[in-house]
Amino acid sequence: MEVNENIPDETNVSNAVELGFGSRILSFGEHPYSWNDNAGTITKWNVDRATLEFSVDGIISFASNGISGNIGLTIVFVSETEGYVQDIFEGVIVEFNPSLMEITQVINFDLPPITDPTNGFYFINDPVFIPETQKILYGISYFPTGCCEYDGPNGLIVGVFDTRSKTMEYKQDDRLVAAASLMRFAIAIL
């Protein structure tokens, strides 16, 4: 991970911070954040505007709440004091405060309505936060016979998490195959 005032023609790795395999970089507000798959942690970084050097502002571990692995792009920042990390297939969302880098609440909920979660291939598409409704939409793509061959009854499944009531409900439409194009269906689902 590196920072530059302008997009360079070539990258200079000597100025970069090595995050390691299985890391994802996100940004919110003026801070970059990194997710570490193996450790199940989010690191908040500061960037010195004069030297463009990084320093760690805080680290949160979600591993004790059962969250680790390749979920780095499904982290949702709602505000400077409210963010969410989820594992839909374990039935848990962890709320955290990005300013203080502290876990504020662990929310458990029912698993998605997948006919046989031990069989097939499923994943969460990038979530969408809808500020007007204060809801986060988690598109769930499920292929019962293996990656990308659809022959099951589930169709489109969307987890709708209400950040005010801290509840999850699932919307389902068997006319659609998967939730990859979630924004097109957000208004119809809500």
Side-chain angles (χ1 to χ4, degrees), residues 25-185:
I25 301 169
L26 306 103
S27 64
F28 182 74
E30 64 182 46
H31 295 280
Y33 294 80
S34 59
W35 170 260
N36 182 302
D37 286 355
N38 297 325
T41 58
I42 292 177
T43 303
K44 178 180 179 181
W45 298 87
N46 285 320
V47 178
D48 183 301
R49 302 240 185 247
T51 64
L52 301 181
E53 292 181 358
F54 291 102
S55 61
V56 173
D57 190 352
I59 299 174
I60 302 175
S61 175
F62 296 88
S64 65
N65 295 296
I67 299 177
S68 64
N70 185 11
I71 61 102
L73 299 179
T74 62
I75 297 165
V76 177
F77 293 92
V78 171
S79 72
E80 293 290 333
T81 59
E82 185 179 2
Y84 295 91
V85 176
Q86 57 70 35
D87 188 337
I88 297 280
F89 300 110
E90 293 296 325
V92 65
I93 289 180
V94 177
E95 181 181 346
F96 72 101
N97 182 320
S99 292
L100 301 175
M101 291 301 284
E102 296 176 347
I103 291 175
T104 54
Q105 187 174 9
V106 177
I107 302 120
N108 294 296
F109 52 87
D110 292 334
L111 298 178
I114 293 176
T115 51
D116 183 6
T118 62
N119 188 26
F121 179 80
Y122 48 88
F123 59 91
I124 301 292
N125 299 95
D126 293 348
V128 176
F129 174 64
I130 314 246
E132 297 80 17
T133 62
Q134 292 294 298
K135 293 182 180 177
I136 302 170
L137 305 181
Y138 295 96
I140 302 167
S141 293
Y142 174 60
F143 303 95
T145 58
C147 180
C148 311
E149 294 182 21
Y150 179 78
D151 69 355
N154 292 103
L156 172 74
I157 301 171
V158 177
V160 181
F161 180 73
D162 188 319
T163 62
R164 292 175 289 203
S165 66
K166 310 297 187 211
T167 58
M168 174 75 81
E169 67 176 316
Y170 296 98
K171 303 287 186 175
Q172 196 166 349
D173 189 331
D174 61 6
R175 298 172 297 169
L176 303 168
V177 174
S181 300
L182 189 55
M183 278 306 288
R184 283 183 250 171
F185 310 111

